[in-house]
PDB file of all heavy atoms in Angstrom:
ATOM      1  N   LEU B   7      70.361  77.973 110.170  1.00 91.00           N
ATOM      2  CA  LEU B   7      70.645  77.187 108.967  1.00 91.00           C
ATOM      3  C   LEU B   7      71.360  75.882 109.315  1.00 91.00           C
ATOM      4  O   LEU B   7      72.250  75.423 108.591  1.00 91.00           O
ATOM      5  CB  LEU B   7      71.476  77.988 107.967  1.00 91.00           C
ATOM      6  CG  LEU B   7      70.856  79.285 107.425  1.00 91.00           C
ATOM      7  CD1 LEU B   7      71.815  79.965 106.458  1.00 91.00           C
ATOM      8  CD2 LEU B   7      69.533  78.996 106.728  1.00 91.00           C
ATOM      9  N   SER B   8      70.970  75.275 110.433  1.00 91.00           N
ATOM     10  CA  SER B   8      71.621  74.040 110.879  1.00 91.00           C
ATOM     11  C   SER B   8      71.465  72.916 109.859  1.00 91.00           C
ATOM     12  O   SER B   8      72.321  72.028 109.768  1.00 91.00           O
ATOM     13  CB  SER B   8      71.042  73.600 112.224  1.00 91.00           C
ATOM     14  OG  SER B   8      69.648  73.344 112.117  1.00 91.00           O
ATOM     15  N   PHE B   9      70.383  72.957 109.077  1.00 91.00           N
ATOM     16  CA  PHE B   9      70.169  71.911 108.068  1.00 91.00           C
ATOM     17  C   PHE B   9      71.224  71.976 106.963  1.00 91.00           C
ATOM     18  O   PHE B   9      71.411  71.006 106.219  1.00 91.00           O
ATOM     19  CB  PHE B   9      68.755  72.024 107.476  1.00 91.00           C
ATOM     20  CG  PHE B   9      68.507  73.296 106.706  1.00 91.00           C
ATOM     21  CD1 PHE B   9      68.679  73.340 105.326  1.00 91.00           C
ATOM     22  CD2 PHE B   9      68.112  74.460 107.361  1.00 91.00           C
ATOM     23  CE1 PHE B   9      68.448  74.510 104.607  1.00 91.00           C
ATOM     24  CE2 PHE B   9      67.882  75.634 106.664  1.00 91.00           C
ATOM     25  CZ  PHE B   9      68.056  75.662 105.281  1.00 91.00           C
ATOM     26  N   ILE B  10      71.915  73.113 106.864  1.00 93.00           N
ATOM     27  CA  ILE B  10      73.036  73.242 105.917  1.00 93.00           C
ATOM     28  C   ILE B  10      74.367  73.072 106.643  1.00 93.00           C
ATOM     29  O   ILE B  10      75.256  72.347 106.176  1.00 93.00           O
ATOM     30  CB  ILE B  10      73.003  74.615 105.207  1.00 93.00           C
ATOM     31  CG1 ILE B  10      71.749  74.732 104.338  1.00 93.00           C
ATOM     32  CG2 ILE B  10      74.268  74.812 104.363  1.00 93.00           C
ATOM     33  CD1 ILE B  10      71.598  76.097 103.693  1.00 93.00           C
ATOM     34  N   LEU B  11      74.511  73.734 107.789  1.00 92.00           N
ATOM     35  CA  LEU B  11      75.791  73.733 108.493  1.00 92.00           C
ATOM     36  C   LEU B  11      76.161  72.364 109.038  1.00 92.00           C
ATOM     37  O   LEU B  11      77.336  71.949 108.964  1.00 92.00           O
ATOM     38  CB  LEU B  11      75.767  74.754 109.635  1.00 92.00           C
ATOM     39  CG  LEU B  11      75.755  76.228 109.224  1.00 92.00           C
ATOM     40  CD1 LEU B  11      75.710  77.117 110.466  1.00 92.00           C
ATOM     41  CD2 LEU B  11      76.991  76.557 108.399  1.00 92.00           C
ATOM     42  N   ALA B  12      75.200  71.641 109.584  1.00 91.00           N
ATOM     43  CA  ALA B  12      75.519  70.331 110.170  1.00 91.00           C
ATOM     44  C   ALA B  12      76.051  69.356 109.108  1.00 91.00           C
ATOM     45  O   ALA B  12      77.114  68.749 109.310  1.00 91.00           O
ATOM     46  CB  ALA B  12      74.295  69.760 110.881  1.00 91.00           C
ATOM     47  N   PRO B  13      75.360  69.180 107.961  1.00 92.00           N
ATOM     48  CA  PRO B  13      75.926  68.303 106.924  1.00 92.00           C
ATOM     49  C   PRO B  13      77.250  68.823 106.368  1.00 92.00           C
ATOM     50  O   PRO B  13      78.143  68.041 106.039  1.00 92.00           O
ATOM     51  CB  PRO B  13      74.849  68.298 105.834  1.00 92.00           C
ATOM     52  CG  PRO B  13      73.593  68.697 106.516  1.00 92.00           C
ATOM     53  CD  PRO B  13      74.011  69.639 107.597  1.00 92.00           C
ATOM     54  N   ALA B  14      77.395  70.162 106.294  1.00 92.00           N
ATOM     55  CA  ALA B  14      78.639  70.733 105.767  1.00 92.00           C
ATOM     56  C   ALA B  14      79.813  70.417 106.689  1.00 92.00           C
ATOM     57  O   ALA B  14      80.915  70.079 106.216  1.00 92.00           O
ATOM     58  CB  ALA B  14      78.489  72.242 105.582  1.00 92.00           C
ATOM     59  N   PHE B  15      79.599  70.517 107.993  1.00 90.00           N
ATOM     60  CA  PHE B  15      80.674  70.177 108.931  1.00 90.00           C
ATOM     61  C   PHE B  15      80.980  68.683 108.890  1.00 90.00           C
ATOM     62  O   PHE B  15      82.136  68.271 109.049  1.00 90.00           O
ATOM     63  CB  PHE B  15      80.294  70.602 110.353  1.00 90.00           C
ATOM     64  CG  PHE B  15      80.822  71.950 110.734  1.00 90.00           C
ATOM     65  CD1 PHE B  15      80.053  73.093 110.565  1.00 90.00           C
ATOM     66  CD2 PHE B  15      82.102  72.076 111.250  1.00 90.00           C
ATOM     67  CE1 PHE B  15      80.553  74.342 110.903  1.00 90.00           C
ATOM     68  CE2 PHE B  15      82.604  73.325 111.600  1.00 90.00           C
ATOM     69  CZ  PHE B  15      81.828  74.464 111.427  1.00 90.00           C
ATOM     70  N   LEU B  16      79.959  67.886 108.688  1.00 88.00           N
ATOM     71  CA  LEU B  16      80.179  66.444 108.560  1.00 88.00           C
ATOM     72  C   LEU B  16      81.020  66.142 107.323  1.00 88.00           C
ATOM     73  O   LEU B  16      81.956  65.317 107.369  1.00 88.00           O
ATOM     74  CB  LEU B  16      78.832  65.727 108.477  1.00 88.00           C
ATOM     75  CG  LEU B  16      78.808  64.231 108.786  1.00 88.00           C
ATOM     76  CD1 LEU B  16      79.345  63.959 110.175  1.00 88.00           C
ATOM     77  CD2 LEU B  16      77.384  63.698 108.648  1.00 88.00           C
ATOM     78  N   LEU B  17      80.703  66.806 106.230  1.00 89.00           N
ATOM     79  CA  LEU B  17      81.486  66.645 105.001  1.00 89.00           C
ATOM     80  C   LEU B  17      82.929  67.102 105.220  1.00 89.00           C
ATOM     81  O   LEU B  17      83.879  66.439 104.760  1.00 89.00           O
ATOM     82  CB  LEU B  17      80.846  67.445 103.871  1.00 89.00           C
ATOM     83  CG  LEU B  17      81.614  67.477 102.537  1.00 89.00           C
ATOM     84  CD1 LEU B  17      81.749  66.071 101.956  1.00 89.00           C
ATOM     85  CD2 LEU B  17      80.924  68.410 101.544  1.00 89.00           C
ATOM     86  N   LEU B  18      83.101  68.217 105.924  1.00 88.00           N
ATOM     87  CA  LEU B  18      84.451  68.717 106.187  1.00 88.00           C
ATOM     88  C   LEU B  18      85.257  67.705 106.995  1.00 88.00           C
ATOM     89  O   LEU B  18      86.440  67.483 106.720  1.00 88.00           O
ATOM     90  CB  LEU B  18      84.370  70.046 106.945  1.00 88.00           C
ATOM     91  CG  LEU B  18      85.718  70.699 107.292  1.00 88.00           C
ATOM     92  CD1 LEU B  18      86.449  71.117 106.027  1.00 88.00           C
ATOM     93  CD2 LEU B  18      85.516  71.901 108.213  1.00 88.00           C
ATOM     94  N   THR B  19      84.620  67.089 107.984  1.00 86.00           N
ATOM     95  CA  THR B  19      85.297  66.075 108.792  1.00 86.00           C
ATOM     96  C   THR B  19      85.790  64.927 107.920  1.00 86.00           C
ATOM     97  O   THR B  19      86.923  64.464 108.037  1.00 86.00           O
ATOM     98  CB  THR B  19      84.350  65.536 109.877  1.00 86.00           C
ATOM     99  OG1 THR B  19      83.832  66.620 110.644  1.00 86.00           O
ATOM    100  CG2 THR B  19      85.068  64.566 110.786  1.00 86.00           C
ATOM    101  N   ILE B  20      84.912  64.465 107.032  1.00 86.00           N
ATOM    102  CA  ILE B  20      85.271  63.352 106.143  1.00 86.00           C
ATOM    103  C   ILE B  20      86.431  63.738 105.229  1.00 86.00           C
ATOM    104  O   ILE B  20      87.390  62.969 105.053  1.00 86.00           O
ATOM    105  CB  ILE B  20      84.040  62.928 105.313  1.00 86.00           C
ATOM    106  CG1 ILE B  20      82.962  62.331 106.235  1.00 86.00           C
ATOM    107  CG2 ILE B  20      84.432  61.936 104.221  1.00 86.00           C
ATOM    108  CD1 ILE B  20      81.628  62.091 105.558  1.00 86.00           C
ATOM    109  N   LEU B  21      86.369  64.939 104.666  1.00 85.00           N
ATOM    110  CA  LEU B  21      87.426  65.373 103.748  1.00 85.00           C
ATOM    111  C   LEU B  21      88.751  65.580 104.482  1.00 85.00           C
ATOM    112  O   LEU B  21      89.820  65.272 103.942  1.00 85.00           O
ATOM    113  CB  LEU B  21      87.009  66.674 103.057  1.00 85.00           C
ATOM    114  CG  LEU B  21      85.867  66.559 102.046  1.00 85.00           C
ATOM    115  CD1 LEU B  21      85.501  67.935 101.499  1.00 85.00           C
ATOM    116  CD2 LEU B  21      86.256  65.632 100.901  1.00 85.00           C
ATOM    117  N   PHE B  22      88.682  66.085 105.714  1.00 84.00           N
ATOM    118  CA  PHE B  22      89.905  66.268 106.487  1.00 84.00           C
ATOM    119  C   PHE B  22      90.595  64.936 106.749  1.00 84.00           C
ATOM    120  O   PHE B  22      91.811  64.791 106.569  1.00 84.00           O
ATOM    121  CB  PHE B  22      89.586  66.948 107.823  1.00 84.00           C
ATOM    122  CG  PHE B  22      89.843  68.431 107.818  1.00 84.00           C
ATOM    123  CD1 PHE B  22      88.935  69.307 108.407  1.00 84.00           C
ATOM    124  CD2 PHE B  22      90.986  68.953 107.246  1.00 84.00           C
ATOM    125  CE1 PHE B  22      89.165  70.677 108.422  1.00 84.00           C
ATOM    126  CE2 PHE B  22      91.227  70.327 107.251  1.00 84.00           C
ATOM    127  CZ  PHE B  22      90.308  71.184 107.841  1.00 84.00           C
ATOM    128  N   VAL B  23      89.827  63.945 107.181  1.00 85.00           N
ATOM    129  CA  VAL B  23      90.418  62.635 107.459  1.00 85.00           C
ATOM    130  C   VAL B  23      90.930  61.998 106.170  1.00 85.00           C
ATOM    131  O   VAL B  23      91.989  61.358 106.161  1.00 85.00           O
ATOM    132  CB  VAL B  23      89.398  61.716 108.164  1.00 85.00           C
ATOM    133  CG1 VAL B  23      89.957  60.312 108.319  1.00 85.00           C
ATOM    134  CG2 VAL B  23      89.032  62.284 109.527  1.00 85.00           C
ATOM    135  N   ALA B  24      90.207  62.194 105.080  1.00 84.00           N
ATOM    136  CA  ALA B  24      90.660  61.658 103.792  1.00 84.00           C
ATOM    137  C   ALA B  24      91.989  62.292 103.378  1.00 84.00           C
ATOM    138  O   ALA B  24      92.867  61.621 102.822  1.00 84.00           O
ATOM    139  CB  ALA B  24      89.600  61.897 102.719  1.00 84.00           C
ATOM    140  N   THR B  25      92.136  63.587 103.653  1.00 82.00           N
ATOM    141  CA  THR B  25      93.387  64.271 103.311  1.00 82.00           C
ATOM    142  C   THR B  25      94.561  63.699 104.089  1.00 82.00           C
ATOM    143  O   THR B  25      95.640  63.454 103.536  1.00 82.00           O
ATOM    144  CB  THR B  25      93.274  65.778 103.598  1.00 82.00           C
ATOM    145  OG1 THR B  25      92.163  66.311 102.880  1.00 82.00           O
ATOM    146  CG2 THR B  25      94.532  66.507 103.162  1.00 82.00           C
ATOM    147  N   THR B  26      94.365  63.478 105.394  1.00 83.00           N
ATOM    148  CA  THR B  26      95.430  62.870 106.186  1.00 83.00           C
ATOM    149  C   THR B  26      95.713  61.450 105.701  1.00 83.00           C
ATOM    150  O   THR B  26      96.872  61.047 105.571  1.00 83.00           O
ATOM    151  CB  THR B  26      95.044  62.837 107.674  1.00 83.00           C
ATOM    152  OG1 THR B  26      94.993  64.165 108.171  1.00 83.00           O
ATOM    153  CG2 THR B  26      96.067  62.057 108.476  1.00 83.00           C
ATOM    154  N   GLY B  27      94.664  60.696 105.432  1.00 85.00           N
ATOM    155  CA  GLY B  27      94.844  59.312 104.991  1.00 85.00           C
ATOM    156  C   GLY B  27      95.610  59.210 103.692  1.00 85.00           C
ATOM    157  O   GLY B  27      96.537  58.385 103.564  1.00 85.00           O
ATOM    158  N   ASP B  28      95.248  60.032 102.692  1.00 84.00           N
ATOM    159  CA  ASP B  28      95.944  59.913 101.407  1.00 84.00           C
ATOM    160  C   ASP B  28      97.391  60.399 101.524  1.00 84.00           C
ATOM    161  O   ASP B  28      98.305  59.815 100.938  1.00 84.00           O
ATOM    162  CB  ASP B  28      95.192  60.638 100.283  1.00 84.00           C
ATOM    163  CG  ASP B  28      95.162  62.151 100.408  1.00 84.00           C
ATOM    164  OD1 ASP B  28      95.752  62.677 101.356  1.00 84.00           O
ATOM    165  OD2 ASP B  28      94.549  62.806  99.545  1.00 84.00           O
ATOM    166  N   SER B  29      97.621  61.450 102.304  1.00 83.00           N
ATOM    167  CA  SER B  29      98.988  61.946 102.490  1.00 83.00           C
ATOM    168  C   SER B  29      99.855  60.910 103.194  1.00 83.00           C
ATOM    169  O   SER B  29     101.033  60.717 102.852  1.00 83.00           O
ATOM    170  CB  SER B  29      98.978  63.249 103.293  1.00 83.00           C
ATOM    171  OG  SER B  29      98.252  64.247 102.615  1.00 83.00           O
ATOM    172  N   MET B  30      99.282  60.240 104.184  1.00 86.00           N
ATOM    173  CA  MET B  30     100.061  59.243 104.923  1.00 86.00           C
ATOM    174  C   MET B  30     100.284  57.979 104.097  1.00 86.00           C
ATOM    175  O   MET B  30     101.343  57.356 104.184  1.00 86.00           O
ATOM    176  CB  MET B  30      99.367  58.902 106.242  1.00 86.00           C
ATOM    177  CG  MET B  30      99.394  60.035 107.262  1.00 86.00           C
ATOM    178  SD  MET B  30     101.071  60.610 107.641  1.00 86.00           S
ATOM    179  CE  MET B  30     101.225  62.019 106.520  1.00 86.00           C
ATOM    180  N   ALA B  31      99.309  57.575 103.292  1.00 87.00           N
ATOM    181  CA  ALA B  31      99.518  56.425 102.400  1.00 87.00           C
ATOM    182  C   ALA B  31     100.641  56.738 101.414  1.00 87.00           C
ATOM    183  O   ALA B  31     101.511  55.895 101.138  1.00 87.00           O
ATOM    184  CB  ALA B  31      98.226  56.107 101.651  1.00 87.00           C
ATOM    185  N   TYR B  32     100.632  57.956 100.903  1.00 86.00           N
ATOM    186  CA  TYR B  32     101.679  58.419  99.985  1.00 86.00           C
ATOM    187  C   TYR B  32     103.032  58.440 100.686  1.00 86.00           C
ATOM    188  O   TYR B  32     104.051  57.975 100.140  1.00 86.00           O
ATOM    189  CB  TYR B  32     101.294  59.815  99.490  1.00 86.00           C
ATOM    190  CG  TYR B  32     102.281  60.496  98.586  1.00 86.00           C
ATOM    191  CD1 TYR B  32     102.350  60.180  97.229  1.00 86.00           C
ATOM    192  CD2 TYR B  32     103.129  61.480  99.077  1.00 86.00           C
ATOM    193  CE1 TYR B  32     103.256  60.825  96.395  1.00 86.00           C
ATOM    194  CE2 TYR B  32     104.028  62.128  98.243  1.00 86.00           C
ATOM    195  CZ  TYR B  32     104.087  61.800  96.903  1.00 86.00           C
ATOM    196  OH  TYR B  32     104.976  62.433  96.089  1.00 86.00           O
ATOM    197  N   THR B  33     103.066  58.937 101.933  1.00 89.00           N
ATOM    198  CA  THR B  33     104.317  59.068 102.666  1.00 89.00           C
ATOM    199  C   THR B  33     104.856  57.710 103.094  1.00 89.00           C
ATOM    200  O   THR B  33     106.066  57.470 103.064  1.00 89.00           O
ATOM    201  CB  THR B  33     104.122  59.966 103.902  1.00 89.00           C
ATOM    202  OG1 THR B  33     103.567  61.217 103.485  1.00 89.00           O
ATOM    203  CG2 THR B  33     105.434  60.214 104.599  1.00 89.00           C
ATOM    204  N   MET B  34     103.974  56.793 103.510  1.00 92.00           N
ATOM    205  CA  MET B  34     104.439  55.458 103.879  1.00 92.00           C
ATOM    206  C   MET B  34     105.020  54.735 102.666  1.00 92.00           C
ATOM    207  O   MET B  34     105.982  53.976 102.780  1.00 92.00           O
ATOM    208  CB  MET B  34     103.294  54.654 104.510  1.00 92.00           C
ATOM    209  CG  MET B  34     102.981  55.095 105.933  1.00 92.00           C
ATOM    210  SD  MET B  34     101.792  54.045 106.786  1.00 92.00           S
ATOM    211  CE  MET B  34     100.255  54.694 106.135  1.00 92.00           C
ATOM    212  N   GLY B  35     104.431  55.009 101.492  1.00 89.00           N
ATOM    213  CA  GLY B  35     105.008  54.469 100.268  1.00 89.00           C
ATOM    214  C   GLY B  35     106.404  55.021 100.025  1.00 89.00           C
ATOM    215  O   GLY B  35     107.322  54.284  99.623  1.00 89.00           O
ATOM    216  N   MET B  36     106.597  56.315 100.297  1.00 88.00           N
ATOM    217  CA  MET B  36     107.924  56.915 100.155  1.00 88.00           C
ATOM    218  C   MET B  36     108.912  56.287 101.130  1.00 88.00           C
ATOM    219  O   MET B  36     110.080  56.046 100.791  1.00 88.00           O
ATOM    220  CB  MET B  36     107.850  58.429 100.382  1.00 88.00           C
ATOM    221  CG  MET B  36     107.219  59.211  99.251  1.00 88.00           C
ATOM    222  SD  MET B  36     107.520  61.012  99.378  1.00 88.00           S
ATOM    223  CE  MET B  36     106.450  61.438 100.744  1.00 88.00           C
ATOM    224  N   ALA B  37     108.453  56.031 102.359  1.00 90.00           N
ATOM    225  CA  ALA B  37     109.348  55.461 103.370  1.00 90.00           C
ATOM    226  C   ALA B  37     109.770  54.035 103.011  1.00 90.00           C
ATOM    227  O   ALA B  37     110.868  53.596 103.376  1.00 90.00           O
ATOM    228  CB  ALA B  37     108.664  55.473 104.736  1.00 90.00           C
TER     229      ALA B  37
END
């Protein structure tokens, strides 16, 4: 099922980086 798993892992990568980015933008604002 690589046609499902490969895009899903790609989506997970994007969401993970977005989570770090939004948390750090929020934290830098706090600082």
